[in-house]
Amino acid sequence: MRTSIFAAVLPALILLVVAPASAQQRGRSWPPPRATMAEVLGDCATARPEELFVVERVVDGDTIWIQRNGEREKLRLLSVDTEEKYVGGNDISASKPSTRFGEQSTGWATGFFLPRTPDEDPMQVGLRFPGGAEARDVYGRLLCHVVTREGIGFNLLLVRMGHSPYFNKYGNSRVAHDAFVAAQTAAQREQRGIWDARTNEGGKRRDYRRLFAWWNARADAIDTFRLRSAAAPLRHVAADDPEGLQRALDAGGEVELLATIDRFFEENDGSWTVLL
């Protein structure tokens, strides 16, 4: 089986985060007009879930624990990526610094999900999976969309409130791509959260202009692969799909493999091995 590896380069069509001009420069008052909370929730409305699970713990803005089928389950919310809270004073990476707003987003999610008084009942939420199929990340977290009892998509709400960008690094949403784009556009227009130039002022900031170029390039490549795989599943396979790989091997022939390259190794015989 021959592996074809390709890279995509995105043109310089980068969404800029612009610092607010003065009121005189804008010709209008600051802050910009915002939708009401009722309108925001309406933008994030979706079908009500049929099955509900109790939220037990909030790790940060995009990671929570629930009680499901008698076991505790850690969830990683899809299409969102809130800023990092302070963990031992260290940054996860240069592209994911710990920020003040990361702490705020964690507190906001905690207030949203967890009871504030002993008399309050714990919140229950439903889960939604792309294509109805459950999947996990490399840390064993269940990848999903969270929906409140009333039918509010929490992932969408994070983007609409400016607590997260539309995170399409692993492909555009197969559940609500257009809704995520609209939610982010509205949050930017209203300069909420991460789109307010005053957020994290004087502290560490995340470089969304640079990240968007990388995320969009990856999303384009993944969407192209999805189309090819749907048309010829034995010829276009993802590296993290062992069953699909085995079917392709059994069928024989040339296969295009979608993968992230981790590193290369030079072997003793002069050949190279690539770790995907």
Side-chain angles (χ1 to χ4, degrees), residues 256-271:
E256 180 181 82
L257 185 65
L258 179 73
T260 299
I261 300 173
D262 184 62
R263 69 190 73 172
F264 291 93
F265 298 93
E266 185 175 9
E267 305 294 353
N268 293 332
D269 62 0
S271 65

Side-chain angles (χ1 to χ4, degrees), residues 57 59-60 62-68 71-77 135-137 139-144:
R57 179 189 170 202
V59 178
D60 53 31
D62 55 37
T63 310
I64 66 174
W65 287 84
I66 62 169
Q67 184 66 227
R68 185 184 187 220
E71 296 182 357
R72 297 179 76 235
E73 185 84 75
K74 192 174 187 179
L75 312 181
R76 174 59 169 91
L77 309 190
R136 298 180 184 274
D137 65 10
Y139 305 107
R141 299 176 299 185
L142 191 62
L143 302 171
C144 62

Side-chain angles (χ1 to χ4, degrees), residues 70-189:
E71 296 182 357
R72 297 179 76 235
E73 185 84 75
K74 192 174 187 179
L75 312 181
R76 174 59 169 91
L77 309 190
L78 288 167
S79 300
V80 293
D81 191 37
T82 59
E83 295 191 350
E84 295 299 314
K85 63 183 182 181
Y86 292 103
V87 181
N90 298 318
D91 294 336
I92 290 179
S93 68
S95 65
K96 291 207 74 174
S98 300
T99 68
R100 297 170 185 167
F101 194 66
E103 289 285 339
Q104 293 178 36
S105 293
T106 300
W108 183 83
T110 300
F112 184 91
F113 283 117
L114 299 185
R116 302 187 185 189
T117 68
D119 297 330
E120 271 191 74
D121 292 328
M123 177 173 274
Q124 294 181 311
V125 297
L127 308 181
R128 191 155 295 157
F129 307 99
E134 296 186 14
R136 298 180 184 274
D137 65 10
V138 295
Y139 305 107
R141 299 176 299 185
L142 191 62
L143 302 171
C144 62
H145 292 259
V146 166
V147 183
T148 69
R149 179 195 295 270
E150 298 77 18
I152 301 300
F154 182 74
N155 305 42
L156 267 177
L157 185 61
L158 282 173
V159 175
R160 183 64 181 85
M161 293 292 291
H163 283 284
S164 172
Y166 172 28
F167 184 55
N168 63 346
K169 178 181 176 181
Y170 299 104
N172 290 321
S173 173
R174 290 176 287 170
V175 172
H177 170 68
D178 291 341
F180 275 112
V181 171
Q184 179 164 270
T185 300
Q188 290 169 329
R189 181 178 63 248

